Amino acid sequence: MSTATEFTVEMPHATVVEEKGGHDESPPPHYTPRTLIMCILASMGGLIFGFDVGQISGFLAMNNFRQRFGEYDATTWLYYFSNVRAGLVVGLLAIGNLFGALIAAPIANRFGRRRSISAWCIVFVVGVVIQISSNDGWYQIVVGRFIGGLGIGALSILVPLYVSESAPTHFRGTAVSFFQLLITVGILIANIINFGTERIQSSASWRITMGISFLWPLVLGIGMIFMPESPKYMFRQNRKAEAREVMCKYLGVSQNHSTVAKESREMEQKLNEDEAGGDRPWYEIFTGPRMAYRTLLGIALMSFQQLTGANFFFYYGTVIFGATGMDNPFVIQIILGTVNVVCTFPGLWMIEKFGRRPCLVLGAAWMCMCFLVFASVGHFALDQQNPERSPKAGAAMIVFACLFIAAFASTWGPMVWGVTADLYPARYRAVCMSLAIASNWSWVFMIAFFTPFMTSAIDYRYGYLFAACCASAAATVYFFVIEPKGRTMEEVDNMYIARVKPWQSSCWVAPAVDDAARAGSETTANNSVAVASDSAAANELDTREPEENTVVVAGNGEEEWESQAQYV
C-alpha cells in the first residue's frame, strides 16, 4: 500500500498542505454525461441571443411589421424603415446588452453564478412581454428590446464564466464553445420560423416567432435551479468540500484522483495569494501584474469578434440579399444559418485538437479574403440598380458569404469566448470579462446602427473595412495571445505573468507545482523572496534581478515565475 508524503508551504494568513503519492493516476474520461448536460443547459443563454438575432433580421422584411412600426412613403405607397429607425430597432438590444454585461459581474460575485443566470432570464422575459404587447408604437419595441438586452448581456458573461469555471481542463475550450454553438442554432431556428410565417398577413407573422422566444429563458432559468454552483466560485467562498465534490462529478473520477488533487492545490495556492494581498481596489484590473495587458487584450479580442463583420450578414442578411435580386431572401438566410450551425461543430473539435491560436489566425485570414471578394464583386460586378441583370455576381456574393460564415462559425465564433474566459486570474475574472463582453456589445450596437448609413454611402465597399479588421485580428492573436490548450486556468495566469512569448507558448513547460512551492519555501528562509505590502515595494522588487529558479511574490499576492520557463 502506497504512502503519502507531505510538505508544508508557509504563506501569509494561510498554510498549503500538499500530498504526493497515493492518488489515482488513471486518465479521466474526456467528458461525462453530467458535463455535457451542464454545457448544453447553461449555453441556452446563447440560444436566447441567437434566436433574437435571427428573428429581427426577418421582422424588418415582413409586411405587417413594417406597416405597424415603419414609416409611410407617399410616393411609393409603401411602408419602410428609415436608417435611423432600423438602426434603433436593431441596435437598442445591444445597448441593453452593454449595460447588462457591466452590471452582471458584481451581482454574480455576490450571489453566485447559478442564481444570477436564473434571475437574468426573468429580466429577458419582461423585455419580450413589452415587445409582443406592442400594437403600433415602434418606441415600445425599442424599449422592450433594451430591457431584453439587459438579460442577454448579463447571460453573455455569466454563461461562459459559469461553464469555464465548471468544466474539466481538457474539455474547457469545447465546453465554452457550446455557447456559440447554441447561438448559431438559435439563429437558424428563428430563420426557419420566419420563413414559415412571413406570408401571414397579420401580426401573427412576427408574434409567433417572438412568442416562441419565451421558451428558451424558461428552460434555462428553471434548469439552473437544479444545477450546482461552479467549483471555483464555491472554492473562493470557502465551500471547498462541495467544490471538490462537484469537480469529481464533472470529471467522472473519485476524490482521490490526481487531477482533483492538482487542481485543488492550484486553486488553494491562488486563493492564499489573494488573501495575503487583502482587499484591493477595482482598478487593479489595470495595475495588477500583467493585468493591463490582459484586460486590454480581452477587450480587443471581443471587439474583433464583431468587427469581423459576421453580424453584417446576420442582422441585415435578408435586406442585403434582397438587394442582389434573390427571389426569396428568407431562403438565403436559412442557407447561411445552416452553414453557421454545421460549421460550428468542426470548431468544437479543432479547438482541442489544434489549439486556439492557429485556428484564430487562419480563420481571420480566411474571413479577410472572403470579404475582399464579396466587397469587390458587390461594388464592381453587381448591377445595383437592376441586380437581376447580373445573376452570376449575386451568386458569387452568396457563395463567399457562405465561405465567410463557415470560417467564422468554426473559429472566431466559438473560440473567442473560451480564450477570453482563460485570460484572467480568478479574483479579476468576472469584472474583466464584463469589460471585454461590454466592448463586444458596444460594437454590436455600432454595426447594427450604422450599417444602413454605411451601405447607403459606400455600398458593398463597406466589406473592405471588415476585411482590414480581420487582418488586424489575425495579427493581434499571433503577437499577443498565449495558447491555453490543455492548461488549467491557473497555469495560463502564470504564463502571462512570466511573460511567455505567445508564439512559443504552445511549447512552454510549466515548472512543477511542487518545485515552485519548495523554491518559495527555501528562498523565504534565505531571504531571496521578498514580500511587499504595497505597490511601491512591489515596484522596487521589479527592479531587482532574481536568482535562477526563484519565485518573486509581490504584495498583491501574484507570483512571478522568473527563469522557470522551459521549451520543448
Side-chain angles (χ1 to χ4, degrees), residues 15 65 91 113 152 202 299 305 331 390 408 438 442 541 560 563:
T15 300
F65 195 80
R113 282 66 162 130
I152 292 177
S202 70
I299 291 172
Q305 192 200 42
V331 175
S390 51
F408 177 83
S442 65
L541 278 172
E560 293 205 21
S563 303

Side-chain angles (χ1 to χ4, degrees), residues 121-159:
C121 287
I122 298 174
V123 175
F124 175 78
V125 168
V126 172
V128 176
V129 169
I130 294 173
Q131 293 178 70
I132 204 169
S133 61
S134 178
N135 285 319
D136 53 13
W138 69 274
Y139 48 85
Q140 186 173 339
I141 293 290
V142 168
V143 171
R145 286 180 62 76
F146 174 80
I147 295 175
L150 292 174
I152 292 177
L155 293 174
S156 70
I157 169 182
L158 295 178
V159 169

Side-chain angles (χ1 to χ4, degrees), residues 235 240-249 255 260 264 268:
F235 207 93
K240 299 177 183 178
E242 293 178 71
R244 292 190 184 95
E245 182 179 348
V246 174
M247 287 170 58
C248 292
K249 290 179 178 178
Q255 293 208 23
V260 176
S264 296
E268 185 81 40

